[in-house]
Amino acid sequence: FMEGNEALARGAIAAGCRFFAGYPITPATTILNSMLKLLPGLEGVCLQGEDEIASIGYCIGASLAGKKVLTATSGPGISLYSEQISFAIACEIPLVIADVQRLGPSTGSATRGADSDIQFLRWGSTGGVPVIVLAPKDVRDCYELAVYAFNYAEEFRCPVFIASNKEIGLTRQSIDLESIALPPISERRLYAGDAYLPFAAEPDLSPPFLPIGGKTLVRTTSSTHGEDGYITTDPVVITRTQHRLREKINNHIDRIALFDEELIENANTLVISYGITSCAVKNAVRQLRREGVLVSTLTLKTLWPVPEQLLREKSRPYRRIVVLEMNLGQYIQEVRRVLCDKDVEFHGRMDGELISPREIMEVITGG
């Protein structure tokens, strides 16, 4: 019987995380509390930084030394993380960031949930390079998606966000961790050989890794650099690097795309949702089916990169698409962009209250 934040921490441990640094912030603080209990017994390190900027800096340093690392915060902390998120993208530093979202903008309401940061997680760094954002819908997902997040961070050598929120992070549910079939644990690919070039890789892959502080010199700079890690202004080199940073993720979207579905034969409506709202959708559509209204559901667990092929494939049989979000519409335009041949309806709210099953039923039935 545990809350989503504890489940996320335990999932990180299962994935091999042995370093955590963070600064207390509602509603993410109990991830820090859980890691403080779990890591010392595993010879891990848990630090409370003096602020958010220091905390993510500690994580970047530990990752460069070869550790699997986690940090956790909420919207205001993500704002402070932004510069070093860009650093991690540019220098291909594996990093998992749990964003337990709360109602924004700015300080907002610390004790009210919302999916406030969905666009900011994707675009809150310089350069526009893709990142990976996973969205759990319940406590079980917090545990399982934490493992996927670390696997993706290690393989693609990039920041991976877990877009939880207050309602998931601080809600307790019964969960049998041992019954969950986790994916095989991934480790970052290590370099073997001579003449190490820290950023040399195939066009759509991440480079092999060597930790700083070893026998081989490892150069890292946040400035534009070539394969050797030295600063460059050569347009050809820059273009090649920019292309690889994008394609190492974009060329693998189908494999990154995680989702749940409940597709009903002869249904005309497909409801697309993510996060805690998906739990309300599940209850609503079950009640509607009892009343003879057939509705299918698609729960997105990977928000970025946008799973375009998945959206097209799953929506193809349906005349009506309804998107529900616990915000004012941060993902709906992505769905409309992909499903440009369909009429996509939207319903959302961002006032500190959950979207209820009754509200969803009214949206679907028109009354």
Side-chain angles (χ1 to χ4, degrees):
F1 188 62
M2 68 178 69
E3 64 180 29
N5 283 349
E6 180 183 350
L8 194 154
R10 290 185 177 276
I13 294 295
C17 174
R18 293 299 181 267
F19 185 94
F20 178 92
Y23 187 77
I25 182 172
T26 304
T29 301
T30 51
I31 297 178
L32 166 59
N33 296 345
S34 296
M35 296 301 273
L36 188 59
K37 295 175 183 177
L38 295 168
L39 279 174
L42 299 170
E43 299 183 352
V45 175
C46 183
L47 295 176
Q48 177 181 317
E50 57 266 39
D51 54 31
E52 285 87 352
I53 296 172
S55 297
I56 191 172
Y58 294 146
C59 288
I60 285 174
S63 183
L64 286 170
K67 299 292 185 182
K68 292 185 177 182
V69 305
L70 171 69
T71 187
T73 189
S74 192
I78 293 291
S79 300
L80 293 169
Y81 282 3
S82 183
E83 181 179 6
Q84 298 202 66
I85 290 170
S86 296
F87 177 40
I89 292 170
C91 295
E92 301 182 75
I93 302 168
L95 179 66
V96 176
I97 302 170
D99 179 15
V100 189
Q101 300 166 89
R102 67 197 208 188
L103 183 65
S106 190
T107 304
S109 296
T111 59
R112 291 290 184 268
D115 291 325
S116 298
D117 308 335
I118 299 305
Q119 284 287 339
F120 190 46
L121 296 180
R122 169 60 182 92
W123 298 106
S125 57
T126 55
V129 174
V131 295
I132 298 172
V133 179
L134 307 181
K137 71 177 189 297
D138 54 20
V139 172
R140 178 191 174 101
D141 271 359
C142 286
Y143 179 74
E144 188 173 2
L145 292 189
V147 177
Y148 278 100
F150 275 93
N151 281 354
Y152 294 155
E154 294 294 301
E155 178 180 354
F156 297 105
R157 287 189 59 178
C158 69
V160 178
F161 295 91
I162 303 175
S164 181
N165 76 22
K166 176 259 175 182
E167 305 298 346
I168 302 169
L170 298 184
T171 295
R172 292 181 180 271
Q173 292 177 311
S174 296
I175 179 174
D176 181 4
L177 299 182
E178 295 182 358
S179 70
I180 299 175
L182 296 174
I185 303 302
S186 299
E187 307 291 343
R188 66 192 75 170
R189 183 165 54 101
L190 296 177
Y191 178 80
D194 301 320
Y196 179 55
L197 296 174
F199 298 104
E202 296 300 314
D204 67 343
L205 297 176
S206 58
F209 176 84
L210 280 180
I212 60 173
K215 295 181 179 179
T216 300
L217 177 65
V218 178
R219 287 182 294 275
T220 297
T221 174
S222 62
S223 297
T224 305
H225 51 264
E227 293 181 345
D228 56 7
Y230 285 113
I231 296 174
T232 183
T233 57
D234 185 333
V236 174
V237 174
I238 293 172
T239 298
R240 186 165 59 240
T241 299
Q242 297 280 17
H243 179 80
R244 186 177 59 76
L245 288 175
R246 284 164 172 77
E247 296 310 303
K248 73 174 183 179
I249 294 177
N250 288 338
N251 282 1
H252 302 277
I253 290 176
D254 293 345
R255 187 160 55 83
I256 297 170
L258 304 174
F259 65 96
D260 284 340
E261 63 182 356
E262 195 168 354
L263 306 182
I264 305 301
E265 189 175 358
N266 298 323
N268 292 323
T269 300
L270 175 68
V271 176
I272 299 175
S273 62
Y274 58 88
I276 190 69
T277 304
S278 298
C279 295
V281 169
K282 182 178 181 180
N283 291 332
V285 298
R286 285 185 176 179
Q287 179 59 36
L288 286 172
R289 288 171 196 154
R290 295 189 193 103
E291 300 174 6
V293 180
L294 300 181
V295 181
S296 293
T297 64
L298 176 64
T299 299
L300 299 178
K301 298 186 181 183
T302 300
L303 299 182
W304 305 101
V306 177
E308 297 185 10
Q309 182 174 331
L310 173 73
L311 287 169
R312 293 190 186 99
E313 176 187 333
K314 299 301 180 182
S315 66
R316 188 171 294 117
Y318 300 95
R319 292 200 299 266
R320 184 186 184 204
I321 309 295
V322 178
V323 176
L324 297 164
E325 298 188 66
M326 200 173 165
N327 53 48
L328 300 181
Q330 295 199 26
Y331 204 70
I332 177 65
Q333 297 305 332
E334 295 298 326
V335 178
R336 285 176 172 156
R337 175 181 62 82
V338 175
L339 305 182
C340 57
D341 60 333
K342 292 184 177 290
D343 182 17
V344 181
E345 303 173 29
F346 171 73
H347 179 77
R349 65 186 299 173
M350 195 171 74
D351 57 5
E353 297 293 328
L354 291 166
I355 301 175
S356 69
R358 175 56 58 183
E359 190 175 346
I360 294 167
M361 291 171 66
E362 292 174 355
V363 169
I364 293 172
T365 61

